[in-house]
Amino acid sequence: MQDLLRLFFLLTASSALALNESAPRCRCLYGDACWPTTSDFSSLQSQISQPLIYPIPTASGCYPLSSPSGNCTDIQANSYNGTWRADRPGSMDIYNYESFIFRNGSISACYLNTTLGVPCEQGNVPVIGVDARSVSDVQVAVKFAASHNLRIAIKNTGHDYAGRSAARNSFMLWTHHLNNITLNSTFVPEGAPSTEIYNAITVGSGVLWNDAYNAVAAQGRMLIGGLSAGGSVGAAGGWLQGGGHSAFAPLHGLGVDNVIEIKLVTAAGEYLTANTHQHSDLFWALRGGGGGTWGVLTSVTYQTHPTFPITTVFFNATATNTAVMKKLFTEFVRIHPALSAASFGGYATPANTSLNLFYNLPNGTDSRANASFESFFGLANNLTAEGLEIAAQETGTYDSFDQWYQSIFANTTGDAGIVELASRLLPTALFAEDEYEAFADKLFTIAGDGIVWNFVSGGAVSKVDPESTGLNPAWRESLVEAVWGAEWDEGATYSEIERSRAELAATMAQVSAIMPGAGSYFNEGSLFEPTPKQTYFGSHYDRLKEIKDEYDPNGLFIVGAGVGSDEWVDDLNCRRSD
């Protein structure tokens, strides 16, 4: 049947092209004459289960200054709390994306810092939307957006490092309250033989990882998911569609390697089940083709795994002498292939004057962990004579994933802020015995104040067939995801923001010179990548674009640097004329 459908789409491609050519070249935005009328929105309201929402920027309750409309004390106290922000449709975890920069450099924003004396404006926050509580709500909202040619923004938690879940003067589809969780130890995917059985969890697209972990922990299980302060990342949205990394991916693979089935609403308003047996082409694209591109996910089913004890290695050292730190960094790079072979994974922040890490060994012991780090610890202790100061060098043992997670992530909240990222997937080949010293030397020269060093690939990630999912094949050839960031103060001018962006771009140009053609993580990359097709999708882009054109021929779902976005001008509101 799928082959017949593909043939149908091929035969009707010319008709679809004609439709695209006759369709409006620009989206209808709030303030345009084409914007839906009050009557239109009343009709929409009559078809959905909840009142229409009118998202506002996070700090709106602090304005007007003479008589604030909300509890400003509460807003400012919770401004760095990602879970608190997730409950508010207009809030972004990375809150620079609540602001909008015009072509002339002026900025529309609503700042938490009320002393700046800037009036509160809507910025980049959508103006109206649907609080979806059912598949029907999603279908109605999608059809409404399509029929009125609206710019649509799909948002769950707002934990989004590229701001893809917000858009100025747009229509929001808020999935945060699609939060059902179902555990099934004998799950069989739709269309699969009865012998294909998984111990699984199905999560609605509004479920946070914190809640998903708690659900499986009660059964002595764990699953591969996002790890962030307070667990505020959504379990069934952009994290998965971008690839989905984890400190335990080297043991069990990435998120895209653990998903069994996805249910979604397409641009045509159809409710589909995608797995390896039904709509397998779409299932392939959803696993790595980028969030906000293929449809609105309503639920995702993941396989779960038996829990296991974890031994975590903690290390923290500083040195004012960069030559000393460079020696330690070189050894740090050298040991990674062996750590990967042992299924270690985790996070580090190497810099010119410091190195912090916490790496995790599943099913490990203190003695095994210490043996894996023996040469590194030995060098570190020897370097104390040259000025290295070791603040922490220890291991901690946890009985289960849940105990580890509760100890390190569950009760923390401070993950919101202002930042733009760029990243590279560091190829495993550069860690080889005859390459690592030169590689470490070059990388250290541009480490500066620090690299976010996510040791989340290699191991099981590298053993998956690169063609089995739509994920950039560069993931299968990498050992580490390295991330750099640009930051600025709230209220910064356009020129100050551009200066920070230029510094980030210069750093990434240096990184690219070390590893030409290296890939990047779609969820933690830059919107200003010079070659986003190659960097984010690699050799899979052309196939992804074919699938995109099949399921979304009119480009209803378009996001920054996503599949098909090159056909739109920079603000993604109008198609290119060429």
Side-chain angles (χ1 to χ4, degrees):
M1 177 60 74
Q2 289 190 29
D3 289 338
L4 290 175
L5 287 172
R6 184 177 296 280
L7 178 60
F8 168 79
F9 281 110
L10 289 172
L11 290 174
T12 57
S14 59
S15 297
L17 180 60
L19 176 63
N20 288 341
E21 290 175 347
S22 64
R25 299 197 67 82
C26 294
R27 295 291 184 223
C28 183
L29 304 177
Y30 175 71
D32 292 344
C34 57
W35 186 252
T37 65
T38 301
S39 176
D40 293 328
F41 281 116
S42 294
S43 176
L44 171 63
Q45 179 65 81
S46 69
Q47 300 173 66
I48 57 178
S49 65
Q50 301 295 312
L52 289 167
I53 55 172
Y54 299 87
I56 55 175
T58 305
S60 295
C62 294
Y63 297 83
L65 298 182
S66 59
S67 180
S69 61
N71 186 339
C72 189
T73 301
D74 180 66
I75 291 170
Q76 293 181 334
N78 287 287
S79 61
Y80 296 103
N81 185 329
T83 305
W84 180 87
R85 283 177 169 269
D87 285 334
R88 287 152 179 79
S91 293
M92 298 290 290
D93 203 62
I94 309 304
Y95 52 83
N96 41 294
Y97 293 113
E98 292 182 28
S99 302
F100 184 84
I101 301 176
F102 294 94
R103 293 182 187 277
N104 66 2
S106 60
I107 300 173
S108 175
C110 187
Y111 295 127
L112 288 160
N113 182 359
T114 58
T115 65
L116 294 171
V118 179
C120 176
E121 297 180 342
Q122 189 74 8
N124 199 44
V125 178
V127 294
I128 193 169
V130 169
D131 176 6
R133 305 291 178 105
S134 66
V135 170
S136 175
D137 284 346
V138 175
Q139 290 177 299
V140 168
V142 167
K143 290 177 181 178
F144 182 84
S147 66
H148 290 279
N149 189 36
L150 304 181
R151 173 75 184 277
I152 190 168
I154 307 167
K155 181 176 182 289
N156 172 8
T157 69
H159 191 113
D160 180 351
Y161 284 108
R164 295 182 175 105
S165 53
R168 180 173 174 79
N169 291 330
S170 68
F171 176 78
M172 175 180 285
L173 210 171
W174 195 34
T175 65
H176 186 57
H177 292 115
L178 292 172
N179 49 22
N180 289 337
I181 296 177
T182 303
L183 298 168
N184 187 344
S185 61
T186 57
F187 180 85
V188 177
E190 290 186 22
S194 59
T195 54
E196 187 179 328
I197 300 173
Y198 299 88
N199 192 316
I201 180 173
T202 299
V203 293
S205 59
V207 172
L208 305 183
W209 277 117
N210 199 49
D211 299 319
Y213 292 141
N214 290 339
V216 297
Q219 295 192 333
R221 310 284 292 182
M222 64 83 64
L223 72 160
I224 298 299
L227 297 167
S228 66
S232 63
V233 176
W239 177 86
L240 168 65
Q241 293 171 84
H245 71 55
S246 162
F248 300 96
L251 176 67
H252 285 310
L254 298 163
V256 294
D257 305 323
N258 283 269
V259 62
I260 303 166
E261 186 167 276
I262 298 171
K263 293 182 182 291
L264 74 159
V265 174
T266 68
E270 293 181 284
Y271 180 50
L272 301 181
T273 298
N275 56 39
T276 57
H277 306 280
Q278 298 181 166
H279 302 289
S280 58
D281 55 345
L282 183 57
F283 188 54
W284 182 88
L286 285 162
R287 291 175 292 159
T293 300
W294 311 98
V296 183
L297 274 60
T298 58
S299 69
V300 171
T301 301
Y302 294 98
Q303 62 178 321
T304 68
H305 304 277
T307 194
F308 41 75
I310 298 167
T311 301
T312 299
V313 176
F314 298 94
F315 181 83
N316 184 333
T318 59
T320 56
N321 185 336
T322 59
V324 171
M325 190 56 65
K326 184 176 180 180
K327 292 178 184 178
L328 188 63
F329 178 71
T330 301
E331 178 63 13
F332 172 72
V333 172
R334 188 193 72 81
I335 64 175
H336 271 76
L339 296 178
S340 177
S343 295
F344 269 97
Y347 310 99
T349 53
N352 285 167
T353 57
S354 64
L355 200 163
N356 306 303
L357 69 84
F358 74 97
Y359 277 11
N360 308 288
L361 179 61
N363 297 304
T365 61
D366 285 356
S367 60
R368 281 183 58 205
N370 283 315
S372 297
F373 277 84
E374 183 176 7
S375 64
F376 178 81
F377 286 159
L379 176 62
N381 286 297
N382 288 336
L383 289 174
T384 57
E386 299 180 37
L388 185 75
E389 295 186 7
I390 301 175
Q393 180 181 306
E394 59 190 7
T395 59
T397 300
Y398 305 87
D399 293 336
S400 65
F401 171 86
D402 182 59
Q403 187 185 74
W404 174 88
Y405 175 77
Q406 296 296 332
S407 173
I408 296 175
F409 287 103
N411 298 313
T412 55
T413 58
D415 61 347
I418 294 176
V419 68
E420 284 188 8
L421 302 181
S423 65
R424 283 295 179 271
L425 301 172
L426 308 186
T428 303
L430 294 179
F431 291 80
E433 195 65 32
D434 58 346
E435 295 280 353
Y436 81 89
E437 286 187 276
F439 175 53
D441 179 70
K442 294 174 182 176
L443 201 57
F444 187 80
T445 62
I446 53 177
D449 293 333
I451 306 169
V452 176
W453 183 276
N454 294 326
F455 186 21
V456 292
S457 50
V461 176
S462 65
K463 296 174 184 176
V464 176
D465 179 1
E467 302 308 313
S468 64
T469 71
L471 184 70
N472 188 345
W475 270 102
R476 309 303 179 183
E477 301 168 354
S478 69
L479 204 56
V480 169
E481 182 219 5
V483 185
W484 286 261
E487 299 178 338
W488 53 85
D489 293 331
E490 187 179 46
T493 64
Y494 174 66
S495 60
E496 291 169 334
I497 294 171
E498 284 297 282
R499 190 178 307 120
S500 294
R501 286 174 171 172
E503 291 172 357
L504 179 60
T507 298
M508 293 315 297
Q510 292 177 290
V511 175
S512 296
I514 297 174
M515 52 191 95
S520 176
Y521 183 28
F522 186 75
N523 291 343
E524 294 172 345
S526 172
L527 292 173
F528 305 105
E529 280 287 349
T531 57
K533 292 181 183 179
Q534 182 275 326
T535 305
Y536 291 125
F537 308 106
S539 60
H540 287 167
Y541 184 84
D542 288 345
R543 184 182 174 196
L544 288 167
K545 184 59 167 62
E546 289 177 2
I547 298 170
K548 170 71 171 172
D549 289 343
E550 179 176 329
Y551 286 93
D552 185 14
N554 291 318
L556 180 64
F557 303 118
I558 295 294
V559 296
V563 174
S565 65
D566 61 312
E567 297 177 353
W568 297 73
V569 296
D570 292 344
D571 61 9
L572 303 181
N573 290 326
C574 294
R575 290 186 182 274
R576 296 188 184 278
S577 58
D578 52 0

